[in-house]
Amino acid sequence: MPIDQQLIDTLAENSVVVIGAPYDENSTFMLGPAEAPGKIREALHCGSANLCSEDVVDLGKEALFKDLGDMAFIPSQPPLVEIEGVVDQLLEKKVRVLLLGGDHAVTPGVLRAYHRQYGQVNILQFDAHPDLYEEFEGNRNSHACPFARIMEEGLAKRLVQVGIRTMNPHQRKQAERFEVEVLPMKSWAPAMVPKFEGPLYISLDMDALDPAFAPGVSHHEPGGLSTRDVLSVIQNIDAPVIGADIVEFNPLRDTSGMTAMVAAKLLKELASKMLNTLHETDGGNE
Ligand code: MN
Ligand code: MN
């Protein structure tokens, strides 16, 4: 058992639960994101900042905010299967999962588990890349492919992508095929982000941010979002945020430690938003 079952059993309904998935073996260019969860926690608790979100939710005092630590993978089970199973277990406890990757390949398993509990959900993806490759270098589980899997399995009611600046003809065809709503950086304005109806899952690839703000990612792609852009989009969401992930932070490239602080800040804002929209799904809103 990767995570202490007793710990899971004690989780209160409606908790927002942080869990690390330190797995990056489907990365294509370099490894490193497996080190991310620990570094994000270190930044969160480093003492230079408090644990409050900008909406003044104090995660240090919030009883419904829990950090379960990292999953430990066992040799007999593929990690992606393990991740999906752990999220299944957590969602059965009626909590909201805030998962720390790992690379973006972890996300389809998380969303399969969400689909079993909620049916099709809305997804807001922050990313420099559409991640819609049918396969990449022969690997259908590559971190270049997660949203192709999610869409062909029918897990999403709606997929909106923000921060995109690496579209190519193959992925454009895929985006059309799956009716993905791509908001390219080329014409970025915060007002382009639509209002969502019903439960929303947020998948936040750190390379959506401009490398000037977040250099600690494997794929540096200039021309991205500012930290404030991402914060504003999150803060302006009024749909219930039922789950989220922060992926692709690569500590090996984070020479200043700044990206860890940005990821920790985004964790606080996502957790705060998830806690603030809890009441909206009380009563089993599907
Ligand atoms: Mn990605
Ligand atoms: Mn990316």
Side-chain angles (χ1 to χ4, degrees), residues 1-256:
M1 207 59 254
I3 297 278
D4 186 351
Q5 184 60 43
Q6 277 182 323
L7 208 56
I8 293 181
D9 289 341
T10 61
L11 289 172
E13 212 169 290
N14 286 330
S15 299
V16 171
V17 175
V18 172
I19 189 160
Y23 184 59
D24 62 8
E25 287 173 28
N26 291 293
S27 289
T28 54
F29 179 64
M30 62 186 293
L31 299 178
E35 312 295 321
K39 294 290 180 190
I40 296 172
R41 287 192 190 90
E42 233 173 72
L44 187 67
H45 299 288
C46 74
S48 86
N50 63 38
L51 283 167
C52 292
S53 71
E54 293 182 359
D55 287 332
V56 202
V57 172
D58 187 347
L59 298 180
K61 298 212 167 78
E62 177 51 69
L64 289 178
F65 178 74
K66 289 274 184 251
D67 185 349
L68 293 190
D70 290 350
M71 302 175 195
F73 301 117
I74 47 174
S76 58
Q77 174 114 292
L80 293 179
V81 175
E82 181 82 38
I83 293 165
E84 185 173 334
V86 171
V87 177
D88 267 330
Q89 267 185 294
L90 291 171
L91 293 183
E92 271 161 30
K93 300 295 293 182
K94 308 280 182 222
V95 303
R96 299 184 180 194
V97 177
L98 206 179
L99 184 127
L100 307 178
D103 66 29
H104 222 155
V106 303
T107 301
V110 177
L111 280 161
R112 281 180 204 118
Y114 267 89
H115 186 258
R116 281 189 278 276
Q117 285 291 327
Y118 289 88
Q120 288 186 327
V121 296
N122 295 312
I123 302 173
L124 175 60
Q125 174 194 357
F126 292 90
D127 209 318
H129 313 92
D131 291 351
L132 287 168
Y133 280 95
E134 179 62 25
E135 53 87 26
F136 198 85
E137 294 171 352
N139 180 9
R140 288 172 58 83
N141 291 326
S142 165
H143 75 156
C145 306
F147 289 89
R149 301 292 84 78
I150 287 161
M151 297 312 280
E152 71 193 11
E153 291 175 33
L155 307 181
K157 187 156 97 183
R158 180 177 190 187
L159 171 60
V160 175
Q161 300 183 321
V162 171
I164 304 300
R165 51 196 188 277
T166 59
M167 190 59 88
N168 65 1
H170 167 66
Q171 292 192 95
R172 185 156 61 190
K173 237 182 251 165
Q174 292 278 82
E176 281 163 13
R177 169 183 165 207
F178 296 127
E179 296 179 32
V180 180
E181 295 165 68
V182 181
L183 308 185
M185 264 331 279
K186 194 182 161 194
S187 50
W188 167 247
M192 293 163 70
V193 180
K195 293 277 173 226
F196 293 95
E197 302 280 337
L200 175 67
Y201 183 93
I202 299 177
S203 188
L204 205 174
D205 181 325
M206 289 297 292
D207 67 30
L209 290 130
D210 193 278
F213 295 92
V217 295
S218 300
H219 302 266
H220 289 155
E221 192 64 44
L225 297 162
S226 70
T227 306
R228 183 49 56 187
D229 285 331
V230 178
L231 292 171
S232 297
V233 172
I234 293 170
Q235 288 165 350
N236 286 326
I237 286 167
D238 50 19
V241 181
I242 52 168
D245 58 60
I246 299 174
V247 295
E248 296 286 343
F249 164 40
N250 187 339
L252 301 181
R253 301 195 111 185
D254 194 26
T255 49
S256 64

